[in-house]
Every structure is written in structure tokens, then in C-alpha cells.
Amino acid sequence: MNGEMINGQGLGAVSQLRYGLCRMSFNGCEVISVYNALAWLGKNAPLPEIALYMERFRMLMGIFGCYAGRIDRALRYFGADCVRTGVYRGEKAFIVSYWTGRPFLSSIHTVFCVREEGGIRVYNRYNNRSEAQLCADFGTFAGKRKPIAIYTINTDTDI
């Protein structure tokens, strides 16, 4: 996990790491999305160090993961430049938190994404898949649900 992208938080060694009271396989998507964004930028930080920093933003002792409205603080702490936005506008790299079902009646999931020529590559979209998924567009993976938070990762590169 040193600089490699993490996919499938329910697989391998990452699934056994703890965040709050639970294992990352259950509630570690926000931590993993920050890790993946940093790895993509070449700013490698150990996953346990990111989790330790993000403990201050955990919800109900980490059972509900991390407060999605504070992901930018972790990104900045580890050296990434980012901006919180409300809608996706075609950014190159971003983190998005969204409801997996009905708002407030389902869980949220947070993923790191990179826009490529063929669509949007979504890292850690599924708990049990070890590869990133290429989706045609933003609506393919987020559906019609309004995102909870989107963090644009500022970079000098463009397609």
C-alpha cells in the first residue's frame, strides 16, 4: 500500500486496518479516498497516518466513517491543493461523497476519481473489487443523487 492505489476496501490487508471502532472494510472509504488522491499526486503518505489524522473528523466513534465535510482538511494537511464544490464540472481529479440509496436512510460512499479520455476512472467504487472502474460519465456511478461533497484536486496537468 505504499503509493499504490487502493481498490476494494474489503479485500487484502487494508480491510483489516481499523478506523474508529470498525475495520476499514466497513467505514474506511473517506480515508482511502484521501490516500488515493495523495498517491495519484505522488504525495505518498502511510494509510495509518492518514487515518490517525482523520480520527478527529470521525462520526459516532468512526462507525459512520468520517464527516465528508472535512475531507479537504486532511488533503491540505498532507500537501494537496483542493477546493470544495457542490457540483461536478468536468474536473480532472476529484473526491466525491454520495448517498448509496435514499438520503439519510442509507450509507454514504466516498471515492477518488480521475477524468480520462474514455470516461471517469473511479477508485474503490466497490468493496469487493480489486480494480478501479472506468465509468462513462459522472452520472454512471453517482446516479441522479446529488453529491454530499465534491473536492476538486488541483493539478497542473490536463487531458
Side-chain angles (χ1 to χ4, degrees), residues 2 6 9 14 22 24-25 29 31 34 50 59 63 67 75 83 85 98 102 117-118 121 134-135:
N2 191 14
I6 296 174
Q9 69 190 64
V14 71
C22 303
M24 284 229 194
S25 61
C29 61
V31 175
V34 169
I50 295 169
M59 294 179 60
I63 292 172
Y67 176 53
L75 288 165
V83 175
T85 61
Y98 57 93
R102 290 185 152 188
E117 216 168 283
R121 182 145 329 261
L134 185 63
C135 297

Side-chain angles (χ1 to χ4, degrees), residues 28-48:
C29 61
E30 291 89 7
V31 175
I32 291 169
S33 68
V34 169
Y35 172 89
N36 281 342
L38 294 170
W40 183 78
L41 287 168
K43 298 177 180 291
N44 299 331
L47 186 64

Side-chain angles (χ1 to χ4, degrees), residues 127-150:
N127 203 21
N128 59 355
R129 288 219 175 134
S130 61
E131 68 282 338
Q133 184 174 19
L134 185 63
C135 297
D137 54 33
F138 186 82
T140 303
F141 72 90
K144 295 181 181 180
R145 298 175 293 272
K146 183 180 178 196
I148 296 166
I150 297 177

Side-chain angles (χ1 to χ4, degrees), residues 11 22 46-47 56 61 64 70 81 110 114 116 127-128 130:
L11 304 172
C22 303
L47 186 64
R56 65 185 66 186
M61 297 179 281
F64 295 115
R70 299 285 190 246
D81 184 23
T110 302
V114 177
E116 298 178 357
N127 203 21
N128 59 355
S130 61

Side-chain angles (χ1 to χ4, degrees), residues 8 13 15 21 33 44 54 65 81 85-86 90 107 113 118 130 134 153-154:
S15 68
L21 294 177
S33 68
N44 299 331
M54 292 181 74
D81 184 23
T85 61
S107 60
C113 305
S130 61
L134 185 63
I153 311 298
N154 294 326

